[in-house]
Amino acid sequence: MVRLRLVLRGVSPLIVRTIEVPAAATLTVLSDAMLILFGWSGERLHEFTIRAVGYSTDWAVDAEDSRKVTLDSLGLRVGERFCWAYDFFAGWVVDIRVEAVTTEPGSRISCLSGRRAGPPEWCGGHDGFRAWENAHSLSEYAECLMQARDHVDEYGQPVDPFDLLYRLEALSLWVLRYRFDKAGVNGRLLTLGVPACVSLSKSG
């Protein structure tokens, strides 16, 4: 098993995950796990950079095939660092540090701990994320909840239920931005398949 600490670069307070990954997992499986860990869809380009070599499965990225490389084949060492980039336009980069490498058997990826929800995929990178965080308030959320209860706005006029539902969904995401759903994430990580055998491909 390999224990990794993941930190989303350029965001404060930190958005952090600590995970354990079977050594037989490919980089593609790890990339799928990253999407679950940060709540992203996988619709954007992504790439690992390890020892100056890129790995991806995206056709538009000039990189080695991440489906053919396992963590074991890379020979990762404790303290070693690499990174994973997602959505090149937004500029999200997750810095990854190897915290432990053990001979323990394992067949699934698990999240040991985490802090804060990942940024909404549509927010547009670091500047957009900061703007979104500063765009709302708890008083706005409370007002929206009261409108949902009373079915009228602050002027006593009927509210559009569809508009209200949209606002509540958006504000709920904002309210929960400091919450990390570890149990939910681990449930989704169970859907990832880890190869039973180690890849013979070289790390480059």
Side-chain angles (χ1 to χ4, degrees):
M1 297 289 285
V2 181
R3 188 168 74 239
L4 303 172
R5 177 178 167 84
L6 321 173
V7 179
L8 186 61
R9 185 184 298 177
V11 174
S12 179
L14 291 179
I15 296 178
V16 183
R17 312 283 185 261
T18 301
I19 63 173
E20 281 191 337
V21 187
T26 65
L27 290 179
T28 296
V29 171
L30 179 57
S31 182
D32 290 342
M34 305 285 279
L35 297 171
I36 293 172
L37 289 159
F38 291 94
W40 295 330
S41 69
E43 295 176 357
R44 312 296 184 186
L45 297 177
H46 65 271
E47 181 183 21
F48 284 103
T49 301
I50 306 173
R51 300 168 189 155
V53 178
Y55 300 92
S56 182
T57 53
D58 288 326
W59 65 270
V61 180
D62 183 16
E64 300 293 324
D65 190 343
S66 62
R67 293 169 297 188
K68 298 179 179 178
V69 180
T70 64
L71 295 180
D72 185 67
S73 70
L74 289 166
L76 296 171
R77 300 179 296 275
V78 174
E80 190 166 359
R81 299 172 184 267
F82 56 101
C83 67
W84 179 75
Y86 178 73
D87 189 347
F88 300 163
F89 179 77
W92 296 120
V93 177
V94 177
D95 291 311
I96 304 169
R97 187 182 74 219
V98 180
E99 289 199 328
V101 179
T102 71
T103 57
E104 285 183 38
S107 59
R108 66 184 182 91
I109 299 174
S110 60
C111 181
L112 305 179
S113 64
R115 188 186 312 160
R116 299 189 69 195
E121 190 160 4
W122 42 260
C123 71
H126 298 83
D127 291 341
F129 182 46
R130 281 190 289 269
W132 174 75
E133 286 200 297
N134 295 326
H136 302 290
S137 66
L138 288 175
S139 60
E140 179 187 2
Y141 182 61
E143 179 182 302
C144 196
L145 288 175
M146 286 189 290
Q147 291 180 11
R149 181 195 64 189
D150 302 332
H151 307 291
V152 295
D153 62 19
E154 63 268 32
Y155 305 107
Q157 299 298 313
V159 294
D160 182 333
F162 295 103
D163 178 65
L164 187 60
L165 179 61
Y166 175 79
R167 288 175 58 205
L168 272 174
E169 287 179 345
L171 283 168
S172 295
L173 185 64
W174 179 83
V175 167
L176 295 174
R177 68 196 187 281
Y178 284 103
R179 179 176 180 268
F180 175 63
D181 182 11
K182 177 182 169 183
V185 163
N186 274 318
R188 291 188 290 277
L189 287 173
L190 285 173
T191 66
L192 299 180
V194 177
C197 59
V198 174
S199 168
L200 297 178
S201 55
K202 297 180 180 179
S203 63

